[in-house]
Amino acid sequence: MIGEAYWAIFKYYDSSAHRMAFKKRPVLIIGKADESDYVVLPISRVTRQEHIDQKYDFEMQVTDYPKLSLRATSYIRTHKQSVANIGELADQITDFKNEYPDAYVEVITLVEEFQKKLIDEAL
């Protein structure tokens, strides 16, 4: 599963309905946290330009990544790692690591740079 893009189901609070709800979001799996949990990076459209991180958001144009079925320019948010349980991973989108190996290496390099910066700042 590592290196694959999946649809993940996330719980969120729907303020207009005043209740918890679920939505499917694309993620890139970059590691295994334990037997049933995976470290993932969100794949997102970022509608407000001021929220794009010029260093750590990996930009993807629709035409360059057809197997992802993107509808608009999207970003792999290498500085926004989270953990998803295997039960939250719904459907595979594509094997990103094998379909786009150069992009995958670039994404992992950005993750490594961010982690190093995080640890350096913590010490």
Side-chain angles (χ1 to χ4, degrees):
M1 293 181 88
I2 295 171
E4 296 178 356
Y6 263 77
W7 285 104
I9 300 167
F10 288 99
K11 187 189 280 192
Y12 73 101
Y13 182 73
D14 184 340
S15 58
S16 61
H18 303 290
R19 63 181 174 88
M20 296 305 291
F22 297 90
K23 60 181 163 184
K24 280 172 64 172
R25 303 197 66 171
V27 297
L28 176 63
I29 300 170
I30 61 165
K32 194 165 185 173
D34 58 33
E35 288 304 310
S36 60
D37 294 318
Y38 291 89
V39 179
V40 300
L41 302 175
I43 300 172
S44 306
R45 285 182 309 124
V46 181
T47 54
R48 296 180 64 183
Q49 292 294 316
E50 65 268 20
H51 293 156
I52 295 172
D53 188 294
Q54 297 300 317
K55 179 156 180 76
Y56 297 113
D57 280 330
F58 180 81
E59 183 177 41
M60 296 184 299
Q61 297 295 326
V62 173
T63 55
D64 296 335
Y65 300 92
K67 300 228 176 184
L68 288 175
S69 301
L70 301 173
R71 292 189 216 140
T73 299
S74 297
Y75 300 85
I76 298 178
R77 319 244 19 230
T78 65
H79 60 303
K80 304 253 183 186
Q81 298 174 32
S82 62
V83 175
N85 182 273
I86 194 164
E88 297 168 326
L89 300 175
D91 302 308
Q92 182 188 22
I93 300 169
T94 191
D95 184 345
F96 188 83
K97 183 178 182 179
N98 288 315
E99 292 292 337
Y100 308 106
D102 293 339
Y104 182 76
V105 168
E106 193 170 338
V107 165
I108 296 303
T109 299
L110 288 172
V111 170
E112 181 180 35
E113 288 177 20
F114 178 74
Q115 290 296 334
K116 182 176 179 350
K117 176 183 160 236
L118 188 70
I119 290 167
D120 288 347
E121 290 176 357
L123 297 175

